[in-house]
Amino acid sequence: MPKISHRAENMPASPVRKLVPFAIKAKQKGLKVYHLNIGQPDIETPETALNAVKNNHLKIFEYALSEGNIEYRTALNTYYHSLGFTDLTTDNFIVTNGGSEALNFAISTLCDDGDEVIIPEPYYANYNGFTNTFNVKVVAVPSTIDTGFSLPPVEEFEKKITPKTRAIIICNPGNPSGYLYTREELQKLAEIALKHDIVVISDEVYREYVYDGKQQISMLAFPEIAENCIIIDSESKRYSMCGARIGCLITRSKKIHDAAMLFAQARLSPVLLGQIAATAAHQNDSAYIMKVREEYTHRRNVLVDLLNGIPGVICPKPKGAFYCVAELPVDDSDRFAQWLLEHYSHNGETIMVAPMSGFYSNPKLGKKQVRIAYVLKEADLRRSVELLNDALQKYKIEFNL
């Protein structure tokens, strides 16, 4: 038998995808599974993007430029100018195969083996995978559900800085908590980055989807950290284009850009068809974004109110993205999530949720929590909460809780 690397052996399983085999078996038994576990919206991709792919006249699916084709980078540049960042040019963008590759480029550009990155938790579970790949240590700054995942004083970040710290990674608005950073918090992070000459990596893929009249503030709004800032962006959530696999890394730092380009060249090129679709999606998209934001706002309100109506469930109302974290009256959310797929059904239906253990540096912190994505239509969300309520009662009886 071949030897498997320590890196592979230590690679954490995705809390979002590790239960997929159980979901497949449930479906093979004839069950309908409501997927609350993954951020795959049921909202249609803009027709402009679909038509750009359907009606293209390419004769060859050739390599794209390693940094991304100029047509798409021009569309990105125009989009960021509309946000007020008019100093950016197409040379500030590196197009990637999704936001995931952009994060990989950022971490591999900044960090060597044994280096550290500071991340407020709970955090996007794949940050564990990205850092583990490069033998980088995550140093967590915790927040708790009882405060709605509000951040502790930003000065807590500074207390975690060591000679090995290379970056602070934030997700704004946050996955999984929906937390939205204030300008004051971001300003303090910028000051800390400058003081210690580290980089703020700001994952802003949910920028458009913030609620209650609030506005997302980008780290690009702090030009004083031009040399100490990387933005991660993606079209997956903005335009419901998860399968297109198109994202980008943005930086004003030529040093960081040129180093990241070496990794971009090594992987050859980003997806050509994805860039064609994304370029088209950016054209006259304001009505689409507004309509989708209104829909997510409604879904959030319906879901969170229904969840908080279940005895023993705690679910803060998120300010952005399209996820919420719910604490359940269970002993182990990993066991509960698997039980839902293996042993529970009601009228031939069940639900799939993402256990929160993988969204923390210490899995025990998410032991009773799940992430629920409100990416399904209202009727499906209402039915899903009915199923959850029923399942919790039956689970409690079965395990004598």
Side-chain angles (χ1 to χ4, degrees):
M1 292 292 288
K3 183 181 181 299
I4 300 299
S5 70
H6 292 303
R7 179 175 287 111
E9 289 175 344
N10 294 327
M11 191 71 170
S14 166
V16 178
R17 297 178 183 272
K18 68 181 180 181
L19 296 173
V20 168
F22 300 102
I24 292 172
K25 289 181 181 179
K27 293 175 184 178
Q28 289 172 343
K29 291 190 297 184
L31 295 183
K32 178 177 180 177
V33 179
Y34 291 92
H35 283 272
L36 306 173
N37 62 303
I38 192 167
Q40 172 56 66
D42 66 355
I43 289 169
E44 292 185 358
T45 303
E47 241 184 272
T48 52
L50 297 174
N51 289 337
V53 174
K54 291 175 185 176
N55 302 328
N56 81 81
H57 301 291
L58 291 175
K59 300 296 184 183
I60 303 172
F61 283 154
E62 61 187 6
Y63 284 121
L65 293 175
S66 293
E67 63 269 37
N69 285 352
I70 188 62
E71 295 83 2
Y72 177 49
R73 285 186 291 124
T74 298
L76 283 173
N77 197 46
T78 300
Y79 163 67
Y80 273 87
H81 280 208
S82 75
L83 298 177
F85 307 118
T86 55
D87 64 304
L88 297 180
T89 72
T90 55
D91 292 336
N92 295 114
F93 299 86
I94 298 176
V95 180
T96 56
N97 293 309
S100 297
E101 188 176 65
L103 280 158
N104 272 326
F105 285 178
I107 294 168
S108 55
T109 295
L110 299 175
C111 300
D112 288 314
D113 281 9
D115 283 341
E116 299 172 353
V117 292
I118 298 170
I119 312 178
E121 65 178 356
Y123 50 76
Y124 176 44
N126 279 343
Y127 293 165
N128 282 328
F130 302 147
T131 52
N132 185 81
T133 299
F134 301 107
N135 194 27
V136 172
K137 179 183 177 183
V138 171
V139 178
V141 178
S143 63
T144 59
I145 195 168
D146 57 299
T147 65
F149 297 105
S150 294
L151 284 186
V154 177
E155 289 77 14
E156 292 297 314
F157 286 79
E158 191 163 22
K159 294 178 183 178
K160 304 282 187 178
I161 293 175
T162 75
K164 289 185 173 292
T165 304
R166 296 293 173 262
I168 295 171
I169 301 178
I170 62 171
C171 186
N172 183 32
N175 173 8
S177 68
Y179 186 78
L180 186 67
Y181 286 73
T182 65
R183 180 177 290 275
E184 291 72 25
E185 287 171 333
L186 297 174
Q187 180 66 61
K188 288 180 180 178
L189 286 178
E191 291 168 1
I192 290 171
L194 279 177
K195 179 179 176 181
H196 297 276
D197 198 21
I198 59 176
V199 174
V200 177
I201 301 173
S202 186
D203 182 345
E204 302 182 0
V205 304
Y206 300 97
R207 175 185 296 118
E208 271 74 22
Y209 301 118
V210 296
Y211 314 115
D212 306 324
K214 298 187 182 299
Q215 184 178 9
Q216 190 262 7
I217 306 297
S218 174
M219 284 305 302
L220 288 171
F222 304 92
E224 64 269 27
I225 59 166
E227 297 297 321
N228 299 75
C229 179
I230 295 174
I231 303 297
I232 305 299
D233 203 350
S234 168
E235 308 292 11
S236 294
K237 315 302 183 180
R238 179 178 294 123
Y239 297 124
S240 196
M241 287 175 51
C242 299
R245 306 314 304 139
I246 290 296
C248 63
L249 179 153
I250 308 154
T251 183
R252 292 182 174 108
S253 168
K254 189 175 187 307
K255 181 178 181 180
I256 291 175
H257 175 278
D258 290 352
M261 266 302 298
L262 299 176
F263 294 98
Q265 291 167 352
R267 67 82 166 97
L268 301 183
S269 71
V271 178
L272 175 62
L273 280 179
Q275 291 183 77
I276 291 171
T279 301
H282 272 282
Q283 308 305 314
N284 302 314
D285 65 346
S286 57
Y288 175 89
I289 295 295
M290 184 177 298
K291 182 178 179 181
V292 176
R293 185 186 298 120
E294 290 173 354
E295 177 64 17
Y296 283 142
T297 302
H298 178 67
R299 292 180 181 188
R300 178 202 63 165
N301 293 341
V302 168
L303 177 64
V304 173
D305 288 349
L306 288 173
L307 287 172
N308 283 317
I310 300 176
V313 173
I314 300 170
C315 182
K317 184 168 283 187
K319 299 174 183 175
F322 43 61
Y323 309 100
C324 61
V325 177
E327 188 160 291
L328 308 178
V330 298
D331 56 340
D332 186 321
S333 59
D334 281 272
R335 181 166 78 160
F336 177 67
Q338 186 171 329
W339 176 85
L340 284 168
L341 297 170
E342 284 194 299
H343 304 294
Y344 172 78
S345 68
H346 181 270
N347 291 339
E349 298 179 324
T350 189
I351 59 174
M352 188 175 182
V353 296
M356 280 289 293
S357 57
F359 293 83
Y360 289 91
S361 59
N362 178 358
K364 292 181 180 179
L365 294 176
K367 193 172 179 62
K368 294 187 176 186
Q369 298 172 0
V370 295
R371 187 193 73 170
I372 296 177
Y374 42 98
V375 293
L376 305 180
K377 61 186 178 183
E378 179 184 348
D380 289 344
L381 290 176
R382 288 185 179 276
R383 176 57 178 154
S384 296
V385 177
E386 288 178 0
L387 292 168
L388 176 62
N389 191 11
D390 181 65
L392 286 170
Q393 295 176 47
K394 292 177 179 175
Y395 184 83
K396 183 177 180 180
I397 293 171
E398 182 168 335
F399 292 99
N400 298 312
L401 298 179

